[in-house]
Amino acid sequence: MIKEELVVDANKIDAKLCARMFLAGAKNLEAKKEWINELNVFPVPDGDTGTNMTMTIMSAAKEVSELEEITMERLAKAISTGSLRGARGNSGVILSQLFRGFTKVMAENEWLDTQILAEALTKAVETAYKAVMKPKEGTILTVAKGAAEKAQELAENIKDMSIFISEVLTEAEYVLSQTPEMLPVLKEAGVVDSGGQGLLEVLKGAYDAFLGKETAYRIELGKPKAKVKQTAAPKEEVDIKFGYCTEFIVNLEKEYNDETEMEFKGFLNSIGDSIVLVSDDEIVKVHVHTNDPGLALQRALTYGSLSRIKIDNMREEHHEKLIKDAERLAKEQEKQMPRKEVGFICVSVGEGMAEIFKSLGADYLIEGGQTMNPSTQDVLEAIDHVNAEHIFVFPNNKNIILAANQAKLLTKDKDIFVIPTKTVPQGITALISYVAEKTPQENEKAMLEEITHVKTGQITYAVRDTKIDEKEIHKDDIMGLGDHSLLAVGQNLKEVALETVKGMVDEDSEMITIYYGDQTDESDAEELAEELEEQYPECDVEVQNGGQPIYYYVISVE
């Protein structure tokens, strides 16, 4: 935990200050994440750039905040490893690659001056650009590049770190303001790039810490994980006599002596066990296991005010431990079995979609998609779970492909094939096209070919007013999103769905599949199917229960 007072050299950043700056950057991004989410071009209810970047950097921040001894090398490893495994979504993966490049230079130095910082920023940009197959300007990459180029320009002549960082920040802010001129879709929607804004907030937070502004540096982070299948029954529950671990501090406001302490201990002993009382002239630190935390708090209030109250349900924690133990046992048993030849991992959301993938032979489902992008670590854990020599991963969302590829690079003992499916219908088509008699490489080639024939339309609602593809959109309008553009907008769900399909069907189309979501009645989906059958008699029309949130319909045309 980072506590030490720092003596700041105007020309250098040492490891402890660097750690503070990183944590402050993470905190600032976390504070702005909802605002950054709202900058997403499409006004869908799952805009998640800010969330993805925050979860990525917080994964690294947790590791940094737990360092007992801070050196530049250890700090670099914590930032690089934490962000790499916690990376979510395209913006999160790119951010992790920026950190990866930056920390390569960090690790080789005991401190940073303006020249080393410029070198680190340049390495960050090089690493991130290499990680993206088709880098697009007007994004987070452009903002990072602008900052790095400015840093290189200034490093020779400016040694004062405060002036240097301020100038680099100003340039990053200017480049961000120009992103709408580079991407017409940003200009039309009236927003700057959300990923670039997220990076700017990290830099601003770091600069605040350099200037000595107050920030709470301890990072507490519950690790979001993909849902894991429970494959073995947990052991029998043990009896926990007192269910709540209760901790708090009493800020003394009344007389508290040895006699008072004995009385307090006696009371706590009457309502629980595992009692620890530590006191000085001003405070009393209390720990007790009890079935009624309120009684302990009420008695403590007679001595003064309370702070740092923490109450944990130990029965719930014990139950979770039993489940984890059972899962670990099942995994160990599975690893002892011979590996099968091929396995399949699919990202999916919605009970109906999950059942479809299971019926097609999926070995493991990662719950996620538009509403929650799984991290690189989630994909790694799924890969670890599937006991197969060759594993096909179907991200089923364009914002998850980079994280899946990152997991592939980190896997050494299995042969991983990431099929870049951008939608669930593409994933279903790819899985259906698998032929057991073919080699994994032949199946990969066939899958890549088949997904090019799948068009997907997604029907959802707008969360704000905007303009896209010359179409006016108002809050709560129904939108039909195609693979590359907005296909329809209006107030009537069925009319928008029909217009969306019209934008996808062509003379080669043979099949239309409607996956209805958890907010849509099956009867409405069937009614939509009947109209589509009338309009497109040359196409077979199917209705499936997708059960997906947010999207009333996901419609595929093949």
Side-chain angles (χ1 to χ4, degrees):
M1 187 173 176
I2 302 164
K3 289 182 177 179
E4 297 91 336
E5 289 298 320
L6 302 176
V7 178
V8 178
D9 184 328
N11 298 334
K12 293 181 181 179
I13 298 173
D14 65 9
K16 290 184 176 64
L17 176 55
C18 192
R20 285 202 170 200
M21 290 172 69
F22 178 78
L23 295 181
K27 282 286 190 181
N28 195 48
L29 176 61
E30 182 185 40
K32 308 288 178 54
K33 68 179 179 182
E34 293 303 331
W35 170 55
I36 293 168
N37 282 342
E38 292 175 4
L39 293 176
N40 281 348
V41 171
F42 284 100
V44 293
D46 54 10
D48 50 10
T49 299
T51 300
N52 284 336
M53 293 182 73
T54 296
M55 296 181 92
T56 299
I57 199 172
M58 282 299 180
S59 176
K62 183 174 185 292
E63 292 200 23
V64 171
S65 69
E66 290 175 351
L67 289 173
E68 292 297 328
E69 181 184 348
I70 299 174
T71 64
M72 205 62 95
E73 187 175 0
R74 291 182 180 182
L75 177 61
K77 184 178 180 181
I79 293 172
S80 180
T81 302
S83 61
L84 192 69
R85 290 182 173 272
R88 294 173 184 266
N90 290 348
S91 54
V93 172
I94 292 171
L95 184 65
S96 75
Q97 291 299 316
L98 287 169
F99 288 144
R100 183 176 172 224
F102 189 95
T103 54
K104 283 181 181 178
V105 176
M106 267 180 64
E108 297 171 354
N109 296 277
E110 293 183 11
W111 36 259
L112 307 178
D113 60 16
T114 58
Q115 285 191 319
I116 296 171
L117 188 54
E119 183 186 344
L121 289 170
T122 301
K123 188 68 174 177
V125 171
E126 289 176 0
T127 305
Y129 267 86
K130 285 180 183 177
V132 180
M133 188 172 294
K134 294 180 180 178
K136 184 183 291 186
E137 298 305 332
T139 66
I140 181 176
L141 291 170
T142 309
V143 176
K145 183 170 68 174
E149 289 176 349
K150 189 66 174 180
Q152 288 285 8
E153 177 190 324
L154 298 173
E156 286 292 329
N157 301 316
I158 297 180
K159 304 303 176 187
D160 187 304
M161 190 65 77
S162 178
I163 297 173
F164 178 80
I165 298 176
S166 177
E167 291 288 327
V168 170
L169 260 178
T170 299
E171 179 67 14
E173 208 156 6
Y174 170 74
V175 174
L176 177 65
S177 72
Q178 296 304 299
T179 54
E181 303 303 321
M182 304 175 205
L183 284 176
V185 67
L186 295 176
K187 190 169 188 177
E188 189 176 21
V191 294
V192 296
D193 178 67
S194 54
Q197 186 70 62
L199 177 61
L200 186 64
E201 297 309 321
V202 174
L203 298 176
K204 283 182 175 180
Y207 186 45
D208 282 346
F210 178 83
L211 296 175
K213 294 184 181 179
E214 287 297 319
T215 307
Y217 296 108
R218 183 69 181 175
I219 302 290
E220 301 293 342
L221 179 70
K223 182 183 176 187
K225 297 183 68 166
K227 282 197 174 179
V228 180
K229 293 182 281 188
Q230 182 178 339
T231 52
K235 299 173 186 175
E236 186 178 349
E237 285 275 5
V238 299
D239 179 44
I240 297 177
K241 186 176 181 182
F242 297 107
Y244 296 96
C245 175
T246 306
E247 297 178 83
F248 55 88
I249 289 176
V250 185
N251 303 297
L252 294 173
E253 296 170 356
K254 297 181 181 178
E255 184 180 357
Y256 185 88
N257 51 36
D258 291 344
E259 184 179 346
T260 312
E261 183 166 300
M262 290 301 295
E263 289 176 357
F264 192 18
K265 277 186 178 178
F267 173 77
L268 293 175
N269 194 52
S270 71
I271 64 168
D273 63 10
S274 299
I275 297 159
V276 178
L277 248 67
V278 181
S279 62
D280 62 16
D281 293 338
E282 297 180 354
I283 66 169
V284 182
K285 170 71 175 174
V286 182
H287 174 279
V288 60
H289 292 175
T290 177
N291 286 327
D292 195 337
L295 293 176
L297 298 176
Q298 286 175 356
R299 175 57 68 94
L301 282 168
T302 64
Y303 308 122
S305 61
L306 307 183
S307 63
R308 299 189 186 181
I309 300 170
K310 183 172 177 285
I311 301 172
D312 293 321
N313 186 330
M314 294 189 296
R315 292 188 180 95
E316 187 177 86
E317 290 175 350
H318 177 67
H319 182 66
E320 290 175 357
K321 182 179 183 300
L322 292 178
I323 292 174
K324 287 179 181 177
D325 288 345
E327 289 167 352
R328 186 165 54 249
L329 177 62
K331 187 181 289 187
E332 288 172 357
Q333 291 172 342
E334 188 171 319
K335 283 183 176 179
Q336 292 172 4
M337 298 173 64
R339 277 189 181 179
K340 62 179 184 175
E341 187 67 16
V342 177
F344 304 99
I345 296 170
C346 303
V347 179
S348 176
V349 63
E351 292 183 8
M353 296 295 192
E355 289 303 317
I356 292 170
F357 280 119
K358 287 177 186 176
S359 69
L360 293 174
D363 295 278
Y364 193 97
L365 298 179
I366 304 175
E367 184 171 341
Q370 284 295 97
T371 51
M372 175 57 71
N373 295 152
S375 67
T376 299
Q377 183 64 32
D378 290 332
V379 182
L380 284 170
E381 290 179 5
I383 290 170
D384 184 52
H385 185 90
V386 177
N387 191 26
E389 193 67 35
H390 310 283
I391 299 175
F392 287 87
V393 180
F394 305 98
N396 300 332
N397 186 292
K398 65 181 180 181
N399 212 28
I400 302 172
I401 295 171
L402 281 179
N405 282 326
Q406 198 153 267
K408 174 182 177 177
L409 293 174
L410 293 171
T411 301
K412 305 302 181 186
D413 63 334
K414 296 176 182 178
D415 192 18
I416 309 300
F417 296 86
V418 176
I419 307 301
T421 51
K422 297 180 180 179
T423 64
V424 167
Q426 283 190 348
I428 292 171
T429 295
L431 197 48
I432 288 173
S433 68
Y434 173 76
V435 178
E437 290 73 26
K438 293 183 178 180
T439 66
Q441 291 76 16
E442 289 171 336
N443 273 298
E444 178 187 33
K445 184 177 179 181
M447 290 175 180
L448 292 173
E449 171 64 24
E450 288 300 319
I451 64 177
T452 64
H453 304 309
V454 181
K455 300 174 185 176
T456 305
Q458 301 181 88
I459 316 300
T460 186
Y461 59 92
V463 295
R464 58 179 166 82
D465 295 350
T466 189
K467 183 180 180 183
I468 297 174
D469 297 334
E470 299 185 353
K471 294 182 176 69
E472 292 287 342
I473 299 171
H474 302 286
K475 187 176 182 294
D476 298 325
D477 277 354
I478 307 297
M479 300 183 298
L481 305 174
D483 291 318
H484 307 291
S485 62
L486 178 68
L487 297 177
V489 62
Q491 284 76 46
N492 183 279
L493 176 59
K494 186 169 74 171
E495 289 177 2
V496 170
L498 290 170
E499 185 69 19
T500 300
V501 174
K502 182 179 178 182
M504 295 192 293
V505 171
D506 59 26
E507 58 184 15
D508 297 322
S509 301
E510 298 176 353
M511 169 75 72
I512 300 172
T513 306
I514 302 167
Y515 302 92
Y516 62 91
D518 62 2
Q519 301 175 63
T520 309
D521 292 335
E522 182 178 4
S523 59
D524 292 335
E526 293 287 357
E527 186 179 322
L528 174 62
E530 288 176 9
E531 289 217 25
L532 289 172
E533 286 174 342
E534 290 180 13
Q535 291 187 21
Y536 308 104
E538 70 281 5
C539 292
D540 293 327
V541 181
E542 288 187 358
V543 174
Q544 299 278 357
N545 175 17
Q548 69 274 4
I550 306 297
Y551 292 87
Y552 302 114
Y553 296 115
V554 173
I555 304 172
S556 71
V557 174
E558 301 178 55

